[in-house]
PDB file of all heavy atoms in Angstrom:
ATOM      1  N   CYS A  11      -2.672 -30.192   3.979  1.00  0.00           N
ATOM      2  CA  CYS A  11      -3.650 -29.206   4.479  1.00  0.00           C
ATOM      3  C   CYS A  11      -3.157 -28.565   5.769  1.00  0.00           C
ATOM      4  O   CYS A  11      -3.251 -27.355   5.962  1.00  0.00           O
ATOM      5  CB  CYS A  11      -4.998 -29.887   4.686  1.00  0.00           C
ATOM      6  SG  CYS A  11      -6.294 -28.765   5.203  1.00  0.00           S
ATOM      7  N   GLN A  66       8.015   1.092  -0.952  1.00  0.00           N
ATOM      8  CA  GLN A  66       7.752  -0.337  -1.105  1.00  0.00           C
ATOM      9  C   GLN A  66       7.808  -1.062   0.236  1.00  0.00           C
ATOM     10  O   GLN A  66       7.008  -1.962   0.510  1.00  0.00           O
ATOM     11  CB  GLN A  66       8.754  -0.947  -2.087  1.00  0.00           C
ATOM     12  CG  GLN A  66       8.559  -0.468  -3.523  1.00  0.00           C
ATOM     13  CD  GLN A  66       9.662  -0.928  -4.451  1.00  0.00           C
ATOM     14  OE1 GLN A  66      10.846  -0.846  -4.124  1.00  0.00           O
ATOM     15  NE2 GLN A  66       9.288  -1.416  -5.627  1.00  0.00           N
ATOM     16  N   LEU A  69       4.641  -0.305   2.137  1.00  0.00           N
ATOM     17  CA  LEU A  69       3.530  -1.084   1.586  1.00  0.00           C
ATOM     18  C   LEU A  69       3.600  -2.529   2.050  1.00  0.00           C
ATOM     19  O   LEU A  69       2.582  -3.124   2.422  1.00  0.00           O
ATOM     20  CB  LEU A  69       3.555  -1.015   0.051  1.00  0.00           C
ATOM     21  CG  LEU A  69       3.244   0.343  -0.580  1.00  0.00           C
ATOM     22  CD1 LEU A  69       3.480   0.299  -2.080  1.00  0.00           C
ATOM     23  CD2 LEU A  69       1.808   0.763  -0.286  1.00  0.00           C
ATOM     24  N   LYS A  86      -7.061 -11.327 -12.459  1.00  0.00           N
ATOM     25  CA  LYS A  86      -6.305 -12.534 -12.789  1.00  0.00           C
ATOM     26  C   LYS A  86      -4.951 -12.195 -13.416  1.00  0.00           C
ATOM     27  O   LYS A  86      -4.838 -11.272 -14.229  1.00  0.00           O
ATOM     28  CB  LYS A  86      -7.100 -13.403 -13.770  1.00  0.00           C
ATOM     29  CG  LYS A  86      -8.511 -13.746 -13.309  1.00  0.00           C
ATOM     30  CD  LYS A  86      -8.527 -14.610 -12.065  1.00  0.00           C
ATOM     31  CE  LYS A  86      -9.951 -15.029 -11.716  1.00  0.00           C
ATOM     32  NZ  LYS A  86     -10.007 -15.802 -10.459  1.00  0.00           N
ATOM     33  N   ARG A 176      -0.301  21.974 -15.268  1.00  0.00           N
ATOM     34  CA  ARG A 176      -1.257  22.618 -16.161  1.00  0.00           C
ATOM     35  C   ARG A 176      -0.616  23.038 -17.490  1.00  0.00           C
ATOM     36  O   ARG A 176      -1.250  23.003 -18.532  1.00  0.00           O
ATOM     37  CB  ARG A 176      -1.865  23.852 -15.481  1.00  0.00           C
ATOM     38  CG  ARG A 176      -2.760  23.515 -14.296  1.00  0.00           C
ATOM     39  CD  ARG A 176      -3.128  24.789 -13.518  1.00  0.00           C
ATOM     40  NE  ARG A 176      -3.781  25.761 -14.355  1.00  0.00           N
ATOM     41  CZ  ARG A 176      -5.091  25.795 -14.618  1.00  0.00           C
ATOM     42  NH1 ARG A 176      -5.877  24.884 -14.076  1.00  0.00           N
ATOM     43  NH2 ARG A 176      -5.607  26.724 -15.378  1.00  0.00           N
ATOM     44  N   ARG A 180       4.719  20.642 -19.263  1.00  0.00           N
ATOM     45  CA  ARG A 180       4.731  19.710 -18.130  1.00  0.00           C
ATOM     46  C   ARG A 180       3.827  18.508 -18.388  1.00  0.00           C
ATOM     47  O   ARG A 180       4.231  17.375 -18.136  1.00  0.00           O
ATOM     48  CB  ARG A 180       4.316  20.444 -16.853  1.00  0.00           C
ATOM     49  CG  ARG A 180       5.309  21.508 -16.412  1.00  0.00           C
ATOM     50  CD  ARG A 180       4.955  22.082 -15.044  1.00  0.00           C
ATOM     51  NE  ARG A 180       5.914  23.099 -14.622  1.00  0.00           N
ATOM     52  CZ  ARG A 180       5.914  23.663 -13.424  1.00  0.00           C
ATOM     53  NH1 ARG A 180       4.990  23.324 -12.529  1.00  0.00           N
ATOM     54  NH2 ARG A 180       6.819  24.574 -13.105  1.00  0.00           N
ATOM     55  N   PRO A 213      -8.458  14.013 -14.945  1.00  0.00           N
ATOM     56  CA  PRO A 213      -8.249  15.336 -14.343  1.00  0.00           C
ATOM     57  C   PRO A 213      -7.181  16.156 -15.044  1.00  0.00           C
ATOM     58  O   PRO A 213      -7.215  17.383 -15.001  1.00  0.00           O
ATOM     59  CB  PRO A 213      -7.844  15.018 -12.892  1.00  0.00           C
ATOM     60  CG  PRO A 213      -7.432  13.596 -12.877  1.00  0.00           C
ATOM     61  CD  PRO A 213      -8.202  12.925 -13.964  1.00  0.00           C
ATOM     62  N   MET A 217      -7.680  20.004 -15.909  1.00  0.00           N
ATOM     63  CA  MET A 217      -6.811  20.990 -15.275  1.00  0.00           C
ATOM     64  C   MET A 217      -5.901  21.691 -16.278  1.00  0.00           C
ATOM     65  O   MET A 217      -5.346  22.748 -15.988  1.00  0.00           O
ATOM     66  CB  MET A 217      -5.948  20.308 -14.213  1.00  0.00           C
ATOM     67  CG  MET A 217      -6.706  19.681 -13.060  1.00  0.00           C
ATOM     68  SD  MET A 217      -7.613  20.888 -12.073  1.00  0.00           S
ATOM     69  CE  MET A 217      -6.273  21.879 -11.420  1.00  0.00           C
ATOM     70  N   PRO A 299     -27.349  11.812 -26.807  1.00  0.00           N
ATOM     71  CA  PRO A 299     -27.980  10.548 -27.208  1.00  0.00           C
ATOM     72  C   PRO A 299     -28.087  10.367 -28.720  1.00  0.00           C
ATOM     73  O   PRO A 299     -28.058   9.242 -29.214  1.00  0.00           O
ATOM     74  CB  PRO A 299     -29.361  10.613 -26.555  1.00  0.00           C
ATOM     75  CG  PRO A 299     -29.586  12.045 -26.206  1.00  0.00           C
ATOM     76  CD  PRO A 299     -28.238  12.630 -25.960  1.00  0.00           C
ATOM     77  N   ASP A 329     -35.593   1.457 -25.392  1.00  0.00           N
ATOM     78  CA  ASP A 329     -34.452   1.652 -26.278  1.00  0.00           C
ATOM     79  C   ASP A 329     -33.443   0.509 -26.137  1.00  0.00           C
ATOM     80  O   ASP A 329     -32.848   0.063 -27.128  1.00  0.00           O
ATOM     81  CB  ASP A 329     -33.774   2.990 -25.978  1.00  0.00           C
ATOM     82  CG  ASP A 329     -34.633   4.173 -26.377  1.00  0.00           C
ATOM     83  OD1 ASP A 329     -35.425   4.026 -27.333  1.00  0.00           O
ATOM     84  OD2 ASP A 329     -34.514   5.241 -25.749  1.00  0.00           O
TER      85      ASP A 329
END
Side-chain angles (χ1 to χ4, degrees):
C11 183
Q66 292 172 315
L69 292 173
K86 306 295 185 184
R176 292 170 58 86
R180 294 188 180 187
M217 297 296 296
D329 291 331

